[in-house]
Amino acid sequence: MILDNINTPKDLKKYSVSELETVAKEIREGLFNRLTKIGGHFGPNFGFVEATIALHYVFDSPKDKFVFDVSHQSYAHKMLTGRKAGYFDDSRFSEDSGYTNPDESEHDFFNIGHTSTSIALALGLAKGRDVLGEKENIIAIIGDGSLSGGEAMEALSVAGSELNSNFIIVVNDNEQAIAETHGGIYKNLKALRDSKGKAENNWFTAFGLDYYYEENGNDIASLIKVFEKVKDINHPVVVHIHTQKGKGYALAEKDKEGWHWCVPFDRSTGKPTGTFAGGESYFGMTSQYIIEKAKKDKNFVVVTPAMPMSVGLGPMERSELGKQYIDTGIAEEAAVAIASGIARRGAKPLVVTNMTFLQRAYDQISQDVCINKTPVTMLMNYSSFDGLTDVTHLGIFGLAAFTNIPNLVVLCPSSAEEYISMLDWSIDQKKHPVLILIPGNAVSHRPADKSYSDINRYKIEMQGEKVAIIALGDFFQKAEELASAIKKSCGFAPTVVNPRFASGVHENLLHALEKNHQLVITMEDGILEGGFGQKIASFYGPEKMLVKNYGLKKQFYDRYDPAELLHECGMTTEQIVNDVKSLL
């Protein structure tokens, strides 16, 4: 295998173009080996193999610097920069993250997992280079789907007007984001593709950037030629290449959305391998709820910043929603502001995405929604510690970030019935901006209230004594388990409280607990600092009540085992029971 002899990008330069094509095939075999066994980003990596080879053949990494947008197309880059063992040696899979990572290699400059950042980051490298009087090529690599993000467009504007030195932007155009692309810029990209880069209207040149087009984005020889043209260029330039997402695997070429990311699968059939939970799930009931709600209420509108599958809205469901659905592209800020306008006009918007991505819209939630008190409902998936565990996709900071915005009601359902009731109430009410966290645990069932208009009203689900457990959302099941263990080990039944509201304190209930309780335990699926538990601790500050908060530390966890993390944070049932004995 030629790849055995390639340990640095310099090794690549010894081979002919025909040999480089063999290297591309070998890289795809490495991708298959890793992805069939542990899953990961499939389509982006398979589609960018030839471009990666050509980039490393022409440029001189790490002196010349590559910045990958999202970096979910960086696997081939990792193989060519000394990390191929993470793809061919099953015992070493864990050595490589799914994204670029400076801790792994001098060829990576940023740990990146969110979108639309590469142009700005690379532009910063270029400006720093110029200030230091150095000379090297700075290359930003961005997929067409990421171009709809505001940061990408802002950086294009800056590059075209403020930088007069080497800066190369490679636009990897595969006509696809995760789902289909949305936004006016994609009409221009299509015109550029159809005209082989000759269209009269060109939004890149309108920004003041030079421009090259390469139709054969999966042909190594063609790519080498165009990259050689722009190497050492003395001004900003866009190299627009047309690639095929998922290239090299027929199933992925046909179903680009379905193969953007994959779980472990059988290569011959494409079907998932191993045991995956079936049956009832919050994911499944969410898409079903949305479709049924849209049929019953024509004023209901779903808004998503390019994340319809965060709640199971596949192509069929999106088609069924019709005009009751809008995808803003990768533009969380716009999605939230648009939803505020929808609500102000009298319709009923539901914004859906993953918690980790909503962070980009903090200002719009505060300014455009909460100051104006528009009744926007925002529904967040993957806000749990037990969901996405890569450092760039953690949802555990959402509670601390958003529960402290005035006027925002943050709801954490603890059962299927509560979840659906909260959605119904929030979408139909007209007074409050609302953020709802989709539970990250197994589906549980328990009767629930129909209205949540009595803001910050907690609910005692089990009356007891001495110890009160206030467990938020998907940690309520852990509280039930803990209560049973305390009764068995300590000889008394504690009180179990379902707070439901993460954004406020039920003062009357907390005062009532003081009569026959010595200790309040809070449990939350997020970081402790600035979170829910600290609100309870602050309330009891002047009182005699003991308070013990359980949650995660304020740190960037990366690729952790959820069970081990709970133990590390002292949050297993056994550990908490021991704490109770000690504190009492």
Side-chain angles (χ1 to χ4, degrees):
M1 189 166 73
I2 296 176
L3 201 54
D4 288 337
N5 301 315
I6 298 174
N7 298 304
T8 71
K10 289 182 179 179
D11 298 331
L12 193 68
K13 300 176 188 295
K14 299 182 294 187
Y15 296 98
S16 66
V17 170
S18 63
E19 289 172 319
L20 295 181
E21 291 170 354
T22 300
V23 172
K25 294 177 182 178
E26 294 173 355
I27 286 175
R28 285 194 171 90
E29 287 304 310
L31 293 175
F32 272 122
N33 186 60
R34 180 183 175 99
L35 294 170
T36 56
K37 294 171 181 174
I38 65 171
H41 285 97
F42 191 100
N45 282 295
F46 269 69
F48 204 67
V49 171
E50 288 81 8
T52 304
I53 292 171
L55 283 165
H56 276 296
Y57 186 85
V58 172
F59 296 99
D60 301 308
S61 178
K63 179 184 178 183
D64 293 332
K65 296 169 176 57
F66 300 126
V67 180
F68 291 83
D69 204 273
V70 191
S71 75
H72 57 17
Q73 73 288 69
S74 63
Y75 292 2
H77 161 75
K78 291 192 174 192
M79 285 191 229
L80 296 174
T81 53
R83 288 169 280 179
K84 56 181 177 286
Y87 299 84
F88 290 95
D89 185 342
D90 297 9
S91 68
R92 298 178 66 179
F93 284 159
S94 62
E95 293 180 9
D96 285 357
S97 73
Y99 305 89
T100 55
N101 187 338
D103 293 334
E104 291 177 3
S105 172
E106 64 177 345
H107 297 273
D108 295 358
F109 297 91
F110 300 98
N111 198 329
I112 301 171
H114 280 196
T115 188
S116 309
T117 67
S118 65
I119 301 175
L121 289 170
L123 195 152
L125 289 178
K127 186 64 177 177
R129 172 204 62 200
D130 295 347
V131 168
L132 295 173
E134 302 290 340
K135 287 190 178 295
E136 73 243 13
N137 291 276
I138 304 294
I139 303 102
I141 297 160
I142 186 167
D144 56 317
S146 297
L147 285 173
S148 61
E151 185 179 350
M153 287 190 274
E154 291 166 9
L156 282 171
S157 178
V158 175
S161 63
E162 303 300 321
L163 197 68
N164 297 305
S165 59
N166 172 278
F167 187 45
I168 301 163
I169 302 166
V170 176
V171 174
N172 174 32
D173 184 356
N174 57 34
E175 306 178 49
Q176 184 88 4
I178 297 177
E180 70 279 355
T181 54
H182 290 268
I185 64 172
Y186 297 105
K187 295 179 180 179
N188 188 234
L189 284 181
K190 183 179 186 304
L192 289 169
R193 289 194 306 269
D194 291 346
S195 66
K196 302 296 186 288
K198 304 296 185 183
E200 181 179 356
N201 293 321
N202 182 322
W203 78 303
F204 298 111
T205 58
F207 276 122
L209 297 156
D210 198 357
Y211 176 84
Y212 289 83
Y213 179 77
E214 178 50 59
E215 172 64 21
N216 302 311
N218 291 107
D219 180 72
I220 294 173
S222 300
L223 291 167
I224 288 173
K225 288 180 182 178
V226 71
F227 292 148
E228 285 178 338
K229 288 179 182 178
V230 299
K231 185 179 182 181
D232 299 324
I233 200 167
N234 63 0
H235 58 272
V237 61
V238 169
V239 180
H240 178 189
I241 64 174
H242 188 201
T243 63
Q244 183 172 21
K245 191 171 185 177
K247 184 173 177 59
Y249 191 53
L251 293 173
E253 291 175 5
K254 182 178 181 181
D255 180 10
K256 295 179 181 179
E257 180 175 347
W259 284 91
H260 175 78
W261 183 88
C262 69
V263 295
F265 66 97
D266 179 84
R267 181 173 175 175
S268 62
T269 65
K271 293 182 179 179
T273 55
T275 302
F276 297 93
E280 193 175 30
S281 71
Y282 288 107
F283 184 79
M285 71 175 67
T286 303
S287 59
Q288 182 179 354
Y289 172 86
I290 287 173
I291 294 300
E292 291 176 355
K293 180 69 174 176
K295 289 178 180 177
K296 291 185 292 186
D297 190 343
K298 297 304 178 184
N299 294 329
F300 173 65
V301 183
V302 177
V303 183
T304 185
M307 286 297 295
M309 284 303 293
S310 65
V311 292
L313 297 178
M316 185 173 67
E317 289 81 9
R318 301 196 293 266
S319 176
E320 193 170 353
L321 286 170
K323 69 177 184 179
Q324 291 176 266
Y325 172 82
I326 180 171
D327 189 326
T328 63
I330 299 175
E332 287 79 9
E333 303 94 326
V336 168
I338 289 167
S340 185
I342 291 171
R344 177 64 75 214
R345 189 61 183 84
K348 303 174 181 179
L350 175 68
V351 178
V352 297
T353 188
N354 289 352
M355 176 61 84
T356 183
F357 302 136
L358 191 68
Q359 295 167 170
R360 293 197 286 260
Y362 186 94
D363 189 61
Q364 285 69 34
I365 292 171
S366 177
Q367 294 287 317
D368 299 331
V369 174
C370 291
I371 286 178
N372 289 282
K373 299 181 182 179
T374 49
V376 172
T377 301
M378 293 166 282
L379 182 60
M380 295 299 110
N381 202 359
Y382 293 113
S383 59
S384 172
F385 84 104
D386 201 12
L388 302 175
T389 61
D390 183 275
V391 67
T392 62
H393 283 64
L394 301 177
I396 58 174
F397 305 111
L399 284 172
F402 296 114
T403 56
N404 295 304
I405 298 177
N407 298 334
L408 182 63
V409 176
V410 180
L411 293 174
C412 296
S414 60
S415 69
E417 291 77 10
E418 204 163 61
Y419 176 50
I420 297 302
S421 292
M422 287 176 175
L423 275 171
D424 266 336
W425 170 79
S426 179
I427 291 168
D428 289 337
Q429 58 85 34
K430 295 293 185 182
K431 291 184 178 180
H432 310 283
V434 180
L435 178 68
I436 302 175
L437 276 57
I438 299 176
N441 58 345
V443 175
S444 64
H445 293 278
R446 193 176 62 258
D449 294 344
K450 295 296 183 185
S451 174
Y452 298 86
S453 294
D454 193 351
I455 303 299
N456 297 331
R457 185 176 183 84
Y458 299 175
K459 187 176 183 180
I460 294 177
E461 300 284 1
M462 183 187 304
Q463 185 67 58
E465 60 176 338
K466 295 185 180 179
V467 175
I469 307 168
I470 305 178
L472 190 65
D474 55 19
F475 269 28
F476 186 83
Q477 285 177 318
K478 296 183 185 299
E480 292 178 311
E481 179 184 325
L482 176 61
S484 178
I486 290 174
K487 183 176 182 180
K488 182 178 180 180
S489 183
C490 302
F492 66 89
T495 295
V496 180
V497 180
N498 173 15
R500 309 180 299 178
F501 296 86
S503 45
V505 171
H506 187 174
E507 295 186 1
N508 290 341
L509 183 145
L510 295 183
H511 277 309
L513 292 177
E514 293 177 304
K515 295 177 182 178
N516 63 337
H517 295 79
Q518 300 166 247
L519 171 65
V520 167
I521 289 171
T522 67
M523 303 175 69
E524 62 193 291
D525 196 351
I527 64 169
L528 285 174
E529 293 194 35
F532 172 74
Q534 288 192 347
K535 293 177 175 60
I536 305 299
S538 178
F539 173 84
Y540 281 124
E543 312 298 334
K544 295 180 180 179
M545 182 74 78
L546 292 174
V547 180
K548 177 67 173 174
N549 300 137
Y550 290 94
L552 308 178
K553 299 173 184 177
K554 187 183 73 174
Q555 70 182 64
F556 288 118
Y557 301 100
D558 188 19
R559 293 173 285 161
Y560 57 85
D561 177 90
E564 291 179 2
L565 181 61
L566 285 185
H567 188 272
E568 176 189 327
C569 294
M571 295 172 65
T572 67
T573 296
E574 181 181 3
Q575 288 171 311
I576 298 176
V577 169
N578 289 334
D579 287 345
V580 169
K581 291 178 180 178
S582 175
L583 289 167
L584 291 183

